Amino acid sequence: MTGPVRSRIRVEGIVQGVGFRPFVHALAARYGLTGLVGNDSGGVFIEAEGPVAAVGALVEEVRHRAPALAVVERVSVTPVPPTGAHGFEIVPSVAGAATRAVVPADVATCADCLAELFDPADRRYLYPFVNCTNCGPRFTIVTAVPYDRAVTTMAGFAMCAACEREYRDPRDRRFHAQPICCPGCGPSLALTAPDGARMAGDPVTEAAALLAGGAVLAVKGLGGYHLAVDAADEAAVARLRARKGRPDKAFAVLAADLAAVRELCVAGEDAARLLTGPRGPIVLLPRRAGAPVAPSVAPDSGELGVLLPYTPLHHLLARRLGRPYVLTSGNVSDEPIAHDDADARRRLGAMADAFLSHDRAIRAPADDSVVRLFRGTALPVRRARGYAPEPFAPPWPFPRPVLACGAELKSTFCLARGRHAVVSQHLGDLESYRTLRAFTTEIGRYRRLLGIEPEVVAHDLHPEYLSTKYALTLDGVDLVGVQHHHAHIASCLADNGEAGPVIGVAFDGTGYGADGTIWGGELLVADLAGFDRAGHLEQVRMPGGVTAIRQPWRMAAAFLHAASVPAEGLGVARRNAAAWPAVSALAAAGGPSAPVTSSAGRLFDAVAALLGVRDTVTYEGQAAMGLEQRVDPGVGDGYPVTVTGPSPVLIRSTDLVRGVAEDLRRDVPAGVVAARFHHGLAGAVAAAVRLVAGATALDTVALSGGVFGNTVLLGGVADRLRGDGFRVLTHRRVPCNDGGISLGQAVVAAARR
């Protein structure tokens, strides 16, 4: 064919809000093509006309060399008759009934915008809302798709002539950047008292002065409000803790740049890549001895959660203050982050001494994401800003639209249709009414945004979870109950694009078992559709039920009783002498007030209490994290553990407690005891997996559940299994904790059809 050809090209994936239309426009100019490009409810549509080789080159560029922030999932090409039209244009977006477009996540400030921010000669010098096609707000400001300025919270800010020229200029990096603005036409910043009265002076300068003077500052970010204090000011940090109702859990620290991070933490190249990347998460890193932060920032921890500024406002505040500052969610602990201005003043007015805020509305709440490094790989701990709502694309379809309601703690939900599963941002714990309201509100928002009307609703088996109760209120849908630990393993499978069957090791704190008992230390033979319980940790009593979760010393009493180990001479018994006899008797008697559990989380709690790490906790996992922190890395041996089986396989966890108690009586250092416990448990898990494999001939193992956020245990189990020849699947994109449960529920519901 020698004449011109014309092709209609459809591109699906994360292709809106990432500079895709300007990218195509530039390609058309390079290859001398005519035609058009635009957004619609399915993604990006292109019509390209010209020599066949040139049209083919454009298609190849679209497939393989898309903009850095884009994720191209599918490109389809259909020949159409040439029109002979001249020029190539970006045409208005086309709305449609069947929404399939993917909403992009928010993006941290790029290097080009940062250079402009601090360039006195630039017209956006020190402007706290500078952005371009490559960075800035996306998900948190969008109200509908196709993604255009008119359906964002920037719609009320009319572009000035200068911004309009940049927006229309194909040579400008702000060509079709929807949140484009400048000091003349965009949002503005204000510093106010809690009652809303404006404070005099430059907002950033005065806010930095307040921080330096020990004040608590509420700062409006991309996805909500944060509370900030000078990270080196112990009195200010203590004041923030008291006001926020967060007595122990560590605060994140924002540092101005990598050099400042490295004064606080050990941060290698892998950490630097995460910190400086477009997602801008909080990264958990080893803390340097003598790091210039107040003791109350991260009490009893060898780690710090650090992040770099990810908006121009955070950059400005960091530079003006000149030292790191605490940046923690604007909420009472475990509630959703405040993002509406009026609600923020109601909820944070008693916590903050001043508000540094602006007049660009936030449509979706989005907390900061948290990751930790494990051998160079990022393990998600909390998935929110910068990651959500990017979809998962499992290699199997969802035959009917699904809503998965997740668990009770670390709440997320998942909406799935076709080949996309979209997991929401972290919302908090559903024990709070505010979080439940945010949960239901966000489900409605996602349904409208994605155009998904669920026909199947998946939920946890626990009848008292508020997520389960919500699912049961929905009419006209098919309900699918999914066992908690099966959902964990299915989540790991979906995270790795696999369908099973596998040997699943699901270790966490609490999950409603298929037999009505409390599970949490499970070996499952599972695929997406179902599972068999192949083994578990030894069951013990939980004296006082849920009270034993808040008071780990009770689990120490229960395990000592189950192991037939006398408590005399052990510190945990001395510290809790007044209540010890009654609790021990409760563990011995059993009954409804002391339910049985196979929970790995409760085992960690017991050992932490035995070592004097924590007798009581103020947040989930506190004792177990403290125990991990005490591991002596120079110790390689572990306590011997009896593993029996194969039907069912039973890991005698009381052997671990027996070993711990014997070492404590010999005054063995706590770091050695903690290491031996971890290594002994890892060895027992590997032995148990070998027994299950012998009965099933399976050679792939999936590790999931919140306990595998412990990298000492994760590494110990994974290394032993790989040494035995197993393939080991771990989480990479969703948390191994309950934040990943909703994805697992969704794929289970789809597999059961």
Side-chain angles (χ1 to χ4, degrees):
M1 182 179 295
T2 58
V5 299
R6 189 177 184 93
S7 291
R8 181 172 295 144
I9 305 156
R10 169 156 294 286
V11 190
E12 298 174 46
I14 302 174
V15 292
Q16 294 188 12
V18 293
F20 211 93
R21 289 174 297 176
F23 162 72
V24 172
H25 190 283
L27 288 179
R30 182 192 310 168
Y31 293 116
L33 299 172
T34 63
L36 55 88
V37 61
N39 284 343
D40 64 14
S41 56
V44 169
F45 61 89
I46 306 166
E47 291 196 14
E49 183 172 333
V52 63
V55 172
L58 180 142
V59 171
E60 285 303 299
E61 295 264 13
V62 164
R63 277 200 176 107
H64 302 298
R65 286 178 285 280
L69 299 178
V71 177
V72 175
E73 294 177 356
R74 186 166 180 263
V75 178
S76 56
V77 182
T78 305
V80 294
T83 67
H86 297 287
F88 194 94
E89 61 179 330
I90 295 178
V91 298
S93 296
V94 179
T99 300
R100 298 186 309 279
V102 178
V103 179
D106 301 281
V107 185
T109 306
C110 70
D112 288 333
C113 284
L114 189 59
E116 291 176 343
L117 180 66
F118 292 111
D119 180 0
D122 194 276
R123 72 187 189 92
R124 293 184 174 91
Y125 177 55
L126 302 184
Y127 181 56
F129 306 99
V130 57
N131 68 83
C132 71
T133 306
N134 302 315
C135 69
R138 300 290 192 273
F139 168 63
T140 52
I141 64 169
V142 72
T143 61
V145 293
Y147 174 78
D148 277 308
R149 189 182 184 93
V151 291
T152 72
T153 59
M154 287 296 297
F157 298 94
M159 282 185 276
C160 66
C163 286
E164 182 84 24
R165 282 194 299 273
E166 293 171 334
Y167 183 83
R168 302 293 179 193
D169 185 352
R171 299 163 298 179
D172 198 287
R173 81 172 193 284
R174 293 189 171 91
F175 182 43
H176 276 259
Q178 303 309 325
I180 186 175
C181 58
C182 73
C185 65
S188 59
L189 200 62
L191 182 67
T192 60
D195 63 3
R198 282 187 174 256
M199 301 172 73
D202 172 67
V204 173
T205 302
E206 298 305 318
L210 285 171
L211 287 177
V216 177
L217 183 69
V219 182
K220 187 177 181 181
L222 273 181
Y225 280 81
H226 291 85
L227 295 169
V229 293
D230 183 343
D233 187 335
E234 174 63 21
V237 177
R239 193 177 308 116
L240 174 58
R241 285 204 177 278
R243 294 180 184 180
K244 187 176 165 69
R246 185 168 169 167
D248 300 306
K249 197 172 185 180
F251 288 139
V253 175
L254 184 147
D257 50 32
L258 271 178
V261 166
R262 286 171 170 150
E263 290 181 5
L264 305 176
C265 300
V266 178
E269 290 307 308
D270 294 320
R273 174 177 45 81
L274 284 169
L275 288 164
T276 60
R279 301 183 188 277
I282 296 168
V283 183
L284 302 176
L285 294 173
R287 180 177 183 168
R288 289 194 184 277
V293 296
S296 292
V297 167
D300 196 33
S301 177
E303 289 184 326
L304 279 179
V306 293
L307 74 163
L308 294 180
Y310 56 86
T311 73
L313 177 56
H314 291 110
H315 278 285
L316 291 170
L317 193 57
R319 180 167 292 198
R320 183 66 69 180
L321 180 63
R323 53 186 179 272
Y325 56 90
V326 164
L327 197 71
T328 187
S329 305
N331 56 9
V332 174
S333 289
D334 299 324
E335 288 189 354
I337 189 170
H339 70 286
D340 174 80
D341 293 330
D343 179 57
R345 291 198 180 273
R346 283 192 299 270
R347 291 168 58 192
L348 308 181
M351 300 184 208
D353 299 307
F355 283 71
L356 183 61
S357 60
H358 55 78
D359 54 353
R360 184 181 68 206
I362 298 171
R363 185 48 57 108
D367 225 319
D368 292 324
S369 294
V370 182
V371 301
R372 73 185 313 174
L373 278 165
F374 175 66
R375 299 176 181 175
T377 300
L379 298 181
V381 176
R382 184 171 73 193
R383 183 179 180 272
R385 176 193 52 77
Y387 294 83
E390 289 184 1
F392 295 83
W396 53 86
F398 292 87
R400 301 167 68 194
V402 175
L403 165 65
C405 296
E408 183 88 339
L409 304 180
K410 300 178 173 62
S411 174
T412 66
F413 59 84
C414 178
L415 279 164
R417 176 187 56 198
R419 291 193 175 274
H420 277 164
V422 179
V423 178
S424 75
Q425 69 275 30
H426 164 90
L427 294 169
D429 294 347
L430 291 184
E431 295 167 325
S432 153
Y433 166 73
R434 289 187 187 277
T435 309
L436 178 62
R437 188 173 64 181
F439 173 80
T440 57
T441 299
E442 283 300 285
I443 287 176
R445 199 177 81 86
Y446 271 70
R447 285 172 62 170
R448 292 188 297 273
L449 197 59
L450 302 175
I452 294 178
E453 287 301 319
E455 298 175 12
V456 178
V457 174
H459 60 84
D460 195 273
L461 295 182
H462 199 302
E464 294 303 313
Y465 277 6
L466 294 181
S467 57
T468 300
K469 291 182 175 182
Y470 169 81
L472 298 179
T473 67
L474 301 178
D475 296 326
V477 296
D478 292 337
L479 295 170
V480 178
V482 183
Q483 199 279 323
H484 190 89
H485 300 95
H486 182 208
H488 269 309
I489 299 306
S491 174
C492 186
L493 287 171
D495 200 347
N496 287 274
E498 301 209 9
V502 295
I503 300 168
V505 183
F507 278 14
D508 64 1
T510 301
Y512 193 84
D515 60 358
T517 66
I518 301 170
W519 291 7
E522 310 308 309
L523 282 86
L524 310 179
V525 174
D527 58 16
L528 296 179
F531 74 95
D532 290 314
R533 192 187 194 195
H536 53 84
L537 293 181
E538 184 177 4
Q539 291 181 317
V540 299
R541 295 283 177 177
M542 287 178 62
V546 294
T547 303
I549 298 174
R550 296 189 293 269
Q551 298 177 7
W553 72 266
R554 289 172 173 258
M555 292 310 304
F559 269 97
L560 289 172
H561 169 76
S564 300
V565 173
E568 288 75 20
L570 294 175
V572 66
R574 287 195 304 272
R575 294 190 302 272
N576 299 281
W580 191 272
V583 169
S584 295
L586 190 57
S593 295
V596 296
T597 183
S598 57
S599 167
R602 302 291 78 79
L603 171 62
F604 273 81
D605 283 352
V607 174
L610 283 166
L611 264 67
V613 176
R614 299 287 313 188
D615 284 350
T616 62
V617 297
T618 61
Y619 61 90
E620 187 199 20
Q622 184 179 10
M625 286 188 276
L627 180 61
E628 180 188 5
Q629 292 282 325
R630 281 163 174 74
V631 170
D632 184 338
V635 175
D637 62 308
Y639 298 119
V641 181
T642 302
V643 180
T644 60
S647 184
V649 171
L650 184 64
I651 299 173
R652 295 286 182 187
S653 46
T654 49
D655 288 350
L656 291 163
V657 172
R658 193 174 293 110
V660 168
E662 290 173 358
D663 270 358
L664 289 176
R665 294 187 198 281
R666 293 197 296 263
D667 294 324
V668 174
V672 175
V673 176
R676 287 175 175 170
F677 165 74
H678 280 79
H679 299 321
L681 180 56
V685 170
V689 168
R690 289 194 295 270
L691 287 176
V692 176
T696 61
L698 293 172
D699 64 357
T700 301
V701 184
L703 306 178
S704 191
V707 170
F708 282 112
N710 179 320
T711 55
V712 177
L713 182 68
L714 177 64
V717 172
D719 288 347
R720 286 167 173 81
L721 291 175
R722 289 180 178 126
D724 290 337
F726 290 98
R727 291 178 62 235
V728 179
L729 307 179
T730 60
H731 285 265
R732 301 173 299 164
R733 298 179 296 162
V734 290
C736 63
N737 59 44
D738 283 6
I741 282 280
S742 63
L743 177 61
Q745 291 173 343
V747 295
V748 169
R752 292 181 186 170
R753 301 190 184 278

